[in-house]
Structure formats: C-alpha cells, structure tokens
Amino acid sequence: MSNARELAQIPSTPSGRRNLIINGAMNVAQRGGSISITNTTGYTLDRFKIGRGSAYNFDVDVSQSTDAPTEFANSLKIDVQATATPAAGVNATLEQFIESQNTTHLNYGSSSGKYITASFWVKSNKTGTYGFQLDHYTKDRNFVNSYTINSANTWEKKTIIINPDTTGAAFDDDNEAGLRIIWHLSTGPDDIISGNRDWTTDNLFRSVTGQVNLFDSTSNEFYITGVQLEVGTVATEFEHRSYGEELALCQRYYYQWLSATSADAHALHIIGMFQSTRGFWGLSTPVAMRASPSITKIGTVTLRTPSLSSNGTVNSFSVYTHGKDSNRLSIDTAVTGGTANVYRNITFSNLTGGYKLEAEL
C-alpha cells in the first residue's frame, strides 16, 4: 500500500466505538466460570467458542481466569485435559464470529477496502508459533498469519495488520455470520501452509508451518485477553467498555437467567394454561436478540397456584413467536400434571432453576 493510504488509516485521536470484538476483556461469562469441551465445539466465555475440524478428538476445560496483564481483570484460560496428536486435516481452534452487518463498513470487495489491526495479549507455557486466521465465513475467503509466544508463562502483546480483501466479496448487510477470527491451537498437517498468506479463496482451516500442538501435554495452558479488532494499521489502546454495556452486547446472542435466591423464585412469570399439558407465557429479554432464539429449561421448574401449592411440572420450553428486532417472546411450555383454563405461577428451584436463550452465530 502507499504511504499516503496507510497514514490516512491511522487514527490520530481514537474516538467512538472502535473494537469489533465483543467481550475482548473476558469479563462476561454468563454460562459459568468453567466449561468442559470434549470432542466437540462449544461456546465458553461469552462470544468465544472452541472450534473443531474433521472430528478431532480432544478434551479441554475453558474458564474465566483472574490471571491477566496490567489493566485487565480477567482472561480466558484453556487447560488441556488429555493429550491429542493432530493428523490429516483435524483442527482445534478458539474463535469469535462477528455479525456481518457490523463489518460492512470495511468495504471489502472494492478498491476502498480498509486495513484492520488485530491485537491481543497471550500467555502459555507452550512457546512457539501459533496460526492466526480470518475467515469471510459465507464467501470462502481467508487470510492466514501467525504470531510467536517467545517466553513461557509470560504475558505478551501481539499485533497483526490485516490487508483489505479488495478482490473478494463485500460483507452482506444482514444478521448472519460475517467475519470469523481464529486462533489455532492444534492443526493437522493437511491444513498447514508454508507461511503467511493474503486473502485467498479457500474455505478450510489453515495454519502455518511450525504450528505448535497445544495438546501434546496435559500440563499445557493457554491464556488470552485484551482482544481488539479495529480499522487502521495501528493497535490503539484497548477500548474498555463498562460491564453493563459489554453484557448487553453479549445478550444479543445469549441470555441466561437463574434463580439467585435461597428459596424458590415465584411469580416472576405467569403462564396461561389452555390445556393441562400446555400453556403460554410472555418473556422480555434485556435486548433484542440477533434472531429468533432457542430456549432451554435449566434445572427444576414447576407450576404453582397463588397459594403456592404445586400444580404441574414443566418439561420443556420453546419459542412460539418472535417479532423482528423485538425483545418480546411468547414461550410455548410443555407441562405434566397441570390444569386447563387457569393461570399459574412459574416457579424456579432455588439457585438452580432457570432458562437460557441462544441466538449465536
């Protein structure tokens, strides 16, 4: 790129919301502080997930850790629970998907495409080369780079400048997956390329020669925090957002509610039973979710009369209707032992009963 063009994309005074990453400081963990991922993919701390390619068998615990560099309170920690050796085209990754309509301003697919810069803090006992990949998820385009953890058990800041994809496709202006950021943890030889690579038509996981295998010892740990992705060619100071703002951004994709009282939680929702086995109730989410979510019952949920006598057990929830860009849901509820044509309190067992709604990418 020309010096004039590069300088034009360096922000002289950072302003407004710059970071495209949600929960980059790892402060929000609605699903709980520690999650086990075995031979599958799965979300962990909010907006971050463990990815898996070609049925790779591995076992990790992912948790919110207070081990963090200066100015950060938390990090995401990956703790290897069983050794594994990558063969053929298997992969294990850490990922975040960005909603496509949040990336249209990057102007990909045109000569006015914008440079972006990724920065993050990492720490591991496993030193060496790690692959870093960006994936234009629905357009089969990817960018491959790498970083090195130089010193064991030491927080290090990494910065990667990403060229614009001027010859690929534009990001769709919709609420589907747009850009995927990938940190490679373990990669099979079939998916290794010789070195860093600019945007190319390819729909596979790709890492680089020398990629470490984080899973070669159960003593291995990997920490990351301070993740930022911003327009320009300079990694500016991390954009700290309030916990409330970060939580609201996360709740567009996942919202969990659990009873937090030492006694059962009563009368938070009222259900109308039109059959003894089925009823409906209204639920307001804190923010409009990305799409019509799934809802899952957590723990024991029962129905009670106004005098709190038991009158049915909830088997499952499902979303019946969901208005576009609305946070009002109608919840269809399957019940055993209920009574038709009455209203009942929905009661959640103390400290364990609740529900979760998911609209992840």
Side-chain angles (χ1 to χ4, degrees):
M1 65 177 172
S2 69
N3 288 338
R5 185 180 177 192
E6 181 174 358
L7 289 170
Q9 295 195 31
I10 298 175
S12 57
T13 304
S15 61
R17 178 175 292 167
R18 293 172 284 110
N19 194 0
L20 293 171
I21 297 294
I22 296 175
N23 199 29
M26 310 299 174
N27 290 331
V28 182
Q30 293 186 84
R31 293 172 175 85
S34 181
I35 294 175
S36 295
I37 305 289
T38 304
N39 303 337
T40 188
T41 65
Y43 277 90
T44 58
L45 275 62
D46 279 60
R47 303 300 305 122
F48 287 88
K49 69 178 293 187
I50 294 294
R52 179 192 188 212
S54 301
Y56 193 10
N57 292 330
F58 58 84
D59 186 0
V60 296
D61 285 350
V62 184
S63 59
Q64 184 184 52
S65 172
T66 56
D67 187 337
T70 302
E71 88 171 75
F72 296 96
N74 296 296
S75 65
L76 181 151
K77 176 186 177 183
I78 298 173
D79 190 1
V80 177
Q81 299 299 299
T83 59
T85 302
V90 302
N91 295 270
T93 60
L94 177 68
E95 307 174 4
Q96 181 168 141
F97 284 89
I98 300 176
E99 200 169 330
S100 191
Q101 61 192 351
N102 294 339
T103 56
T104 56
H105 65 293
L106 300 180
N107 295 332
Y108 277 25
S110 77
S111 59
S112 59
K114 296 179 181 179
Y115 289 83
I116 51 179
T117 296
S119 57
F120 49 91
W121 288 85
V122 288
K123 172 182 171 179
S124 178
N125 64 302
K126 182 71 173 178
T127 60
T129 300
Y130 289 76
F132 176 85
Q133 180 179 353
L134 265 69
D135 181 21
H136 190 166
Y137 189 65
T138 60
K139 308 300 182 181
D140 294 342
R141 300 278 291 177
N142 63 46
F143 173 96
V144 181
N145 210 286
S146 61
Y147 62 95
T148 301
I149 294 181
N150 298 293
S151 300
N153 304 313
T154 303
W155 281 105
E156 300 175 351
K157 186 176 183 179
K158 306 302 175 183
T159 299
I160 298 171
I161 298 174
I162 298 111
N163 299 329
D165 186 6
T166 57
T167 59
F171 287 103
D172 295 328
D173 187 17
D174 61 25
N175 63 349
E176 300 301 323
L179 192 62
R180 176 168 59 161
I181 299 86
I182 303 168
W183 293 265
H184 285 270
L185 307 173
S186 182
T187 306
D190 291 357
D191 288 338
I192 296 292
I193 62 175
S194 60
N196 298 345
R197 187 179 72 183
D198 206 351
W199 289 99
T200 303
T201 299
D202 190 352
N203 64 357
L204 300 175
F205 284 120
R206 296 294 187 193
S207 189
V208 299
T209 299
Q211 164 73 47
V212 306
N213 176 23
L214 186 68
F215 301 159
D216 65 4
S217 170
T218 55
S219 298
N220 290 345
E221 299 172 336
F222 179 92
Y223 298 80
I224 187 168
T225 193
V227 182
Q228 183 148 293
L229 186 69
E230 60 191 305
V231 172
T233 55
V234 171
T236 64
E237 184 178 348
F238 184 80
E239 180 183 65
H240 289 279
R241 296 189 279 250
S242 72
Y243 180 83
E245 183 179 7
E246 206 74 58
L247 176 61
L249 292 172
C250 294
Q251 288 174 333
R252 176 169 172 79
Y253 306 93
Y254 182 86
Y255 171 56
Q256 178 171 297
W257 183 90
L258 285 174
S259 171
T261 65
S262 57
D264 291 349
H266 303 294
L268 294 172
H269 301 287
I270 304 299
I271 186 171
M273 296 293 296
F274 80 98
Q275 297 173 349
S276 63
T277 58
R278 189 181 182 195
F280 292 89
W281 53 284
L283 171 62
S284 294
T285 57
V287 300
M289 300 196 75
R290 180 190 67 84
S292 182
S294 63
I295 183 171
T296 303
K297 177 179 72 72
I298 300 174
T300 301
V301 184
T302 58
L303 303 186
R304 293 184 183 272
T305 67
S307 62
L308 302 184
S309 297
S310 180
N311 188 220
T313 300
V314 172
N315 299 320
S316 64
F317 296 135
S318 61
V319 174
Y320 184 69
T321 58
H322 174 264
K324 179 175 173 58
D325 294 331
S326 170
N327 66 336
R328 290 287 297 164
L329 308 174
S330 178
I331 306 301
D332 192 347
T333 304
V335 176
T336 299
T339 301
N341 301 316
V342 296
Y343 289 98
R344 290 292 182 253
N345 296 317
I346 301 179
T347 298
F348 300 92
S349 295
N350 60 302
L351 302 178
T352 59
Y355 50 81
K356 60 181 179 181
L357 295 102
E358 298 185 71
E360 296 283 8
L361 290 162

